[in-house]
Amino acid sequence: MSTAVLPSLVGLGFDVVRTPIWSNNIQTSVSGKDTAIGYWSYPKWQWELTYDVLRSDLNEFQDLAGFFNSRQGRFDTFLYQDAEDNAASHQIGTGDGTTTAFQLVREFGGFIEPILAPNVVNHIYLDGVDQADGWTVSPWGSSSPGVVTFDTAPDSGAVVSADFSFYFPCRFNEDRLSFNNFLKMMWNAQSVAFTSVK
């Protein structure tokens, strides 16, 4: 699993399509009654970006094409920083005097989901008191990504919270990516689609 970050390029278009994806099965009996089976506890997210201008004289075209090729299309993962959804300040658990590990989570429209690729964890708090040390955070690619582990278990009832920024671990949707050379040294990419991974 790669920790390479999708490059931020000035030619990114204003339109960004973002779609939550769930996996469910609806079974209908002969009487017509439905039974719903949900396979996932939180969604995957899909993005579709448009790059209006990629200037080859400034290596923007080369940077995006090289990034895609380095991932070998869908083969490898990468990290994406959503421009409007990349930081959180949230309670991540309550101490019980025994538990030392707490998953980073963020709230989005009332829905809580885990964060698997923390970028910078600015602060960890116990009952609102900043803990300068005594904890570590597992990065993306580790066996327990996005988990805060304390050297000593927080006291029972202690509110554990965190301020942090994060990435979404993603994979390209296809093994090919089309670029259009519309002017000399000017390219665009009309559909760069990728989906988060768990």
Side-chain angles (χ1 to χ4, degrees):
M1 291 186 272
S2 172
T3 57
V5 179
L6 182 70
S8 177
L9 302 170
V10 297
L12 179 64
F14 288 110
D15 288 345
V16 174
V17 179
R18 182 172 170 182
T19 307
I21 302 170
W22 287 89
S23 178
N24 301 299
N25 187 11
I26 309 300
Q27 297 177 350
T28 304
S29 70
V30 293
S31 68
K33 182 178 180 180
D34 288 343
T35 301
I37 302 169
Y39 297 122
W40 299 347
S41 58
Y42 59 95
K44 289 186 175 187
W45 291 92
Q46 180 176 286
W47 289 264
E48 187 171 350
L49 309 182
T50 299
Y51 291 88
D52 296 328
V53 178
L54 295 166
R55 299 165 292 185
S56 61
D57 59 331
L58 297 178
N59 291 323
E60 295 166 348
F61 164 59
Q62 295 90 326
D63 288 346
L64 183 56
F67 185 85
F68 180 80
N69 290 333
S70 294
R71 308 283 75 73
Q72 296 177 275
R74 294 180 297 166
F75 178 75
D76 200 3
T77 62
F78 61 92
L79 301 178
Y80 171 64
Q81 187 173 51
D82 187 288
E84 296 188 5
D85 183 16
N86 59 44
S89 180
H90 196 73
Q91 179 177 338
I92 61 173
T94 302
D96 59 10
T98 304
T99 302
T100 58
F102 298 84
Q103 178 70 52
L104 287 174
V105 295
R106 71 97 153 87
E107 181 268 336
F108 190 77
F111 185 80
I112 306 296
E113 60 186 290
I115 295 300
L116 303 179
N119 180 10
V120 177
V121 177
N122 298 305
H123 302 283
I124 297 291
Y125 305 97
L126 293 179
D127 284 334
V129 177
D130 196 356
Q131 306 297 302
D133 53 21
W135 52 270
T136 57
V137 180
S138 303
W140 170 247
S142 65
S143 60
S144 54
V147 171
V148 176
T149 303
F150 289 92
D151 296 342
T152 303
D155 293 338
S156 181
V159 174
V160 183
S161 56
D163 296 337
F164 56 94
S165 61
F166 59 88
Y167 299 109
F168 289 91
C170 295
R171 185 183 307 278
F172 286 110
N173 288 359
E174 297 187 23
D175 285 328
R176 63 182 180 180
L177 185 58
S178 296
F179 296 93
N180 176 43
N181 185 199
F182 64 95
L183 286 172
K184 184 178 181 181
M185 294 191 291
M186 297 285 192
W187 297 76
N188 63 32
Q190 292 301 310
S191 179
V192 179
F194 48 89
T195 303
S196 64
V197 298
K198 299 183 177 189

